[in-house]
Amino acid sequence: VFDRVREDCPNFHEKIKPINAELTQPKLAISAEDEEELLTRVNIVFHCAATVRFDEPLKRALQLNVLGTQRLLELARQMQNLEAFIHISTAYANCVRKCIDEIIYPPPAEPKRLFDLVEWLDESIIEDITPKLLGDWPNTYTYTKALSEYLIQQEKGNLNIAIIRPSIVGASWHEPFPGWIDNFNGTSGIFIA
């Protein structure tokens, strides 16, 4: 949470207050005190929470990347001072297309139907049908990011939305400490090797 009131702070990390949340839980499992602060003080939401594991089981990827986005949007629509909702997607959300414009494409499946499907199906059945559901998408990460973009467009309400599609995100330069990263995807794995 970025606190605009504390602009006199010389260090970036002093302007941020961590809030515990869980994307897979109703209302993100945010405490009432934290929710009140979010609803009354936040001006900009940067939504970059996601699982970036390419081999994440479909149910888990849907819960984190799509349903988590939906839950955060629900909260954001209640924020009294919100000026913008910035969603970090990926350049590969639409990797099944030869040409990608700055538009939201129709989803590979209806997100709400997928939520219902994975809710009642056995894990082994979901695993069996995942390749069919993914179609031309190479993994659950790109698939769920495409679904998230569509969901945002459908459920944004009156929010000012921006979707950023970086091609890759690497280790940090300075903060929270030099070289910090919590996975070995992409170039990080190459550098570590």
Side-chain angles (χ1 to χ4, degrees):
V1 175
F2 178 76
D3 190 348
R4 184 181 280 184
V5 177
R6 299 170 64 190
E7 290 177 350
D8 61 329
C9 295
N11 296 319
F12 178 72
H13 70 280
E14 292 178 20
K15 295 182 180 184
I16 296 176
K17 176 186 175 188
I19 301 279
N20 286 324
E22 174 54 56
L23 293 174
T24 63
Q25 297 300 309
K27 295 186 76 172
L28 304 172
I30 295 173
S31 72
E33 180 183 312
D34 286 341
E35 181 180 22
E36 179 62 26
E37 186 167 8
L38 291 169
L39 295 179
T40 59
R41 299 193 61 169
V42 170
N43 301 95
I44 300 172
V45 170
F46 290 91
H47 176 40
C48 52
T51 178
V52 296
R53 286 186 50 199
F54 296 161
D55 61 347
E56 190 79 71
L58 181 61
K59 182 174 183 174
R60 181 89 173 135
L62 282 168
Q63 289 172 331
L64 292 168
N65 294 353
V66 188
L67 189 56
T69 297
Q70 182 183 45
R71 288 179 171 142
L72 186 56
L73 271 173
E74 289 169 4
L75 181 66
R77 285 193 304 267
Q78 298 173 53
M79 293 178 181
Q80 300 161 14
N81 299 309
L82 191 67
E83 296 173 25
F85 184 98
I86 314 298
H87 175 73
I88 309 301
S89 185
T90 176
Y92 305 104
N94 299 292
C95 61
V96 298
R97 301 179 178 281
K98 288 186 179 196
C99 180
I100 301 170
D101 292 316
E102 291 185 11
I103 63 171
I104 306 300
Y105 291 96
E110 180 60 43
K112 291 177 185 177
R113 287 188 176 188
L114 282 174
F115 296 155
D116 292 340
L117 182 72
V118 300
E119 186 64 34
W120 64 269
L121 273 180
D122 183 70
E123 296 283 339
S124 64
I125 295 173
I126 297 170
E127 188 177 325
D128 290 344
I129 65 171
T130 294
K132 266 291 204 222
L133 290 171
L134 293 182
D136 292 333
W137 270 264
N139 52 56
T140 57
Y141 173 69
T142 58
Y143 182 77
T144 57
K145 284 299 197 172
L147 292 169
S148 295
E149 287 188 9
Y150 175 79
L151 183 112
I152 289 168
Q153 181 189 42
Q154 296 302 304
E155 299 192 12
K156 67 182 174 125
N158 293 326
L159 296 177
N160 293 318
I161 299 288
I163 295 176
I164 300 172
R165 295 175 176 156
S167 59
I168 194 163
V169 176
S172 70
W173 183 30
H174 282 292
E175 295 183 20
F177 50 85
W180 178 84
I181 194 159
D182 64 354
N183 68 64
F184 303 120
N185 293 337
T187 56
S188 298
I190 295 168
F191 290 141
I192 289 169

